[in-house]
Amino acid sequence: MAARPLVTVFSLSGEKSGETTLPAVMTAPMRPDIVQFVHTNMSKNNRQAYSVSPWAGKQVSASSWGTGRAVARIPRVGGGGTSRSGQGAFGNMCRGGRMFAPTKTWRKWHRKINSTQKRYAVASALAASAVPALVMARGHKVDDVPEIPLVMDTSIESAKKTSAAKDILASVGALADVDRASDSKKIRAGKGKARNRRYVLRRGPLIVYKSNDGVEQAFRNLPGVELCCVDRLNLLQLAPGGHMGRFCVWSQAALDALNDIYGKDGKNVPEDLMANADLARIINSDEIQSVLNPAKRANKKYLRKKNPLTSLKALAKLDPYAAAARESEQRAEAARQGNKAATLAKKRGVAKAKKQYKQAGKDFFEKISKQGDVCADGFNIGL
Amino acid sequence: MVAAPDSLVWELVKNNNSFMRKKNGRSSRSGSIRFSVERGNLTSRSTYKYSGLANSKTIDVTATDDNRATLTLKTKKAGTSGKKGMTGIALNKDFRRTEKTIKSQATDNYYRPDLKNAALAKYTAVYKSNRVAKGVKKVAPVKKGRN
C-alpha cells in the first residue's frame, strides 16, 4: 500500500471540491467470518432480561397422595370444597404447574468479545464499505453515486434543516437509497408489532461525521438514514445483519480522522494474509507462467461413430487402401462393361460352334445308323 | 478502493447478496437453481464467470423501455464509482451491424472474449422480444396439449 489512491471530496451541491487520500483502514482485509462472529455477539448486548415469575406454579401446598388410591402419584392440591382440590400441581405437565426449567434473569444475556476482534471487525467493515460491488451486493442503491467511498465537504456537519439534508443527498445520488428505505416501510410480521416494534424498513445510508454541528438533527428524520460519529463507529451499523458493505457518506473531517484513529498511534490496521489477492493476475504473471509445464492438449473429441460398412469416409480411416482398391475395381468393371458385347458375341460364337459340332456328330451317327445293306455299295461306307 | 480483486469479491458475495434468486429446479439433478439479477450479469446465472458484481469487466445486453437494446460494459472506474462504473452503447442498427458491434466490444483489447457468444445469444433473444413487443413479429401460439 505504497501510494494510496485519492478520493474525491464533493461539495454540498454535488460538484467535486477537493481530494483526500484514502485512509489505511479501507485497505484492511475483509473477513466476513470475523464480522459475522462479532456481530452476532455484539447484538446480544442490548438485550433486556426476561423470565417467568420465580414463584409461578409453586404457590400451592400440594402433596402426593402416594400409592394405593388408583390415581397418578403427582402432588395434588389438598383441601376441599373447590374444583381445585385434588388437581395435580407442581409438575410441568400439570395444569397450573410450574414450567420446565423456569427462565431466570441471571441467564447470560451479554457477551464479551475481545477488543482486537471487535477492532478487526470494524476495520473489515470499513474496508468493505469502500468497495462498490460489496455495497451493491448488500442491497444499497448506489448506481448514481459518483464515487465510493462517498466523501462530502465538512460543511455537511453544520446542516440544519432536513429539507437541506435531503437536497444534499440528492445532489450526490444518495437519495435513491433513502427512497429504497422509505418505500420498504411495512408493518412487522409477528408479535413484535404489538411490542412497540411495529414497523420495519431497510437501512439507508450511514452518515459519518466528526463533530455534530446539526447533522444529527438534520438527517435523523430521513427514513433509513443513520448517523455516527467517527470516534464511536458501531459494527452493528457498519455491517447490519452481519453483512459487510453499508453505504456510508463521510464528511471530509471524518474520513481524515480515520487516519488518526487507525494509524501508528491509534488502533492497529490488521494485516492481510495475502498481499495480492488477485488470483487471475497471479496466475498470469511471468513468475508463475515461466515455471509451468506447457498446457496439455484438450481431450480428443469423440464424434458419433460411423459404420465403415456404410460410410466411405469411416472405411477410409480404417483401410487406407480401400479407396484405391475400389477405384481399380470400378475401372475394371467399366472396362468389362465396354467389352461386354464382344465377349458376349464371342461366347455366343463359341456356343454356336459347339452346337454345330455336336450337331455334326449327331448327323453322322444318324447316317451311319441307318438300316441298310452294308455290302450294297461294295463295302464302301459312302458318306 | 484498492479495487478489491475479482476473486476476493466473488468469495465474499457468492453465498449472500441481494441479487440472488433461488428458484425450484425442475431437473433430476437440482433441487434449486441460483440466479443473480444484478446489472452486468449476462445470463443471470450465479457463477463467477457471469457475475456482474465480482468481475471488473462485464458485458450485458438489455432491453430498454422503448423496445430498444443497449450494450453495457463496465469501465475502469467500476472499482470506485457507482455512476461511472458502467457505459451503455445503444444498439439501434440492424441485426448484422449490432452483431459486429457486440463482437468487437467483447474481443477488442481482449475485453471479455469468453462472453462473446453469450452476448450474441442474448442479443438475439432481446432483439426477438423487442420485435414481438413492437408487433412486427408474431409469436406462434403453442398448440394445446404440448407444454
Side-chain angles (χ1 to χ4, degrees), chain A residues 6 27 132 136-137 139 143 145-146 148, chain B residues 1-2 18-19 79-83:
Chain A
L6 292 169
T27 56
M136 278 194 251
D143 294 330
V145 175
I148 290 179
Chain B
M1 198 168 112
V2 192
S18 72
F19 302 104
T80 54
S81 168
K83 197 191 226 168

Side-chain angles (χ1 to χ4, degrees), chain A residues 175-186 200-202 223-224:
Chain A
L175 203 59
D177 207 29
V178 177
D179 289 335
R180 176 186 81 109
S182 73
D183 291 336
S184 69
K185 188 169 188 190
K186 289 223 163 63
V200 254
L201 53 133
R202 304 286 87 79

Side-chain angles (χ1 to χ4, degrees), chain A residues 193-383:
Chain A
K193 67 166 94 58
R195 295 180 180 172
N196 305 326
R197 286 169 248 136
R198 191 151 180 93
Y199 293 102
V200 254
L201 53 133
R202 304 286 87 79
R203 307 258 200 148
L206 174 71
I207 319 276
V208 189
Y209 58 86
K210 180 84 178 100
S211 66
N212 179 18
D213 194 23
V215 222
E216 281 266 352
Q217 286 171 311
F219 281 87
R220 70 185 178 192
N221 204 28
L222 293 168
V225 174
E226 279 170 11
L227 290 117
C228 199
C229 175
V230 217
D231 306 316
R232 302 183 281 272
L233 286 168
N234 185 355
L235 184 73
L236 301 173
Q237 287 178 330
L238 286 171
H243 297 136
M244 303 187 292
R246 178 90 187 256
F247 174 36
C248 300
V249 183
W250 301 86
S251 75
Q252 187 174 4
L255 198 78
D256 295 334
L258 276 182
N259 273 318
D260 301 318
I261 301 173
Y262 284 92
K264 275 192 220 95
D265 303 321
K267 304 180 196 175
N268 193 24
V269 178
E271 250 178 48
D272 280 284
L273 261 139
M274 263 180 104
N276 179 12
D278 194 349
L279 278 181
R281 265 191 103 183
I282 294 174
I283 292 172
N284 290 321
S285 68
D286 287 335
E287 293 95 322
I288 296 219
Q289 289 292 319
S290 59
V291 203
L292 290 177
N293 286 335
K296 284 191 192 163
R297 244 180 42 143
N299 272 332
K300 173 179 161 199
K301 261 197 222 171
Y302 286 97
L303 303 161
R304 197 190 199 189
K305 182 183 182 220
K306 295 264 177 194
N307 187 356
L309 295 174
T310 50
S311 157
L312 285 179
K313 283 190 180 159
L315 181 62
K317 268 197 205 151
L318 296 171
D319 180 7
Y321 184 65
R326 190 190 170 88
E327 221 182 295
S328 66
E329 176 72 41
Q330 281 175 338
R331 256 183 273 127
E333 180 70 33
R336 258 179 267 138
Q337 294 284 14
N339 291 337
K340 193 174 181 184
T343 46
L344 259 180
K346 194 172 173 204
K347 274 198 180 150
R348 282 193 193 123
V350 166
K352 201 174 182 186
K354 255 195 176 167
K355 245 191 173 171
Q356 282 177 343
Y357 182 74
K358 263 203 162 161
Q359 193 63 32
K362 276 194 188 146
D363 290 340
F364 175 69
F365 185 70
E366 243 196 68
K367 229 195 199 154
I368 58 164
S369 48
K370 261 199 215 124
Q371 285 286 15
D373 209 347
V374 173
C375 2
D377 297 319
F379 296 104
N380 282 341
I381 304 170
L383 291 156

Side-chain angles (χ1 to χ4, degrees), chain A residues 160-168 218 222:
Chain A
K160 296 278 187 295
K161 303 287 272 172
T162 307
S163 50
K166 201 168 164 207
D167 293 330
I168 293 171
L222 293 168

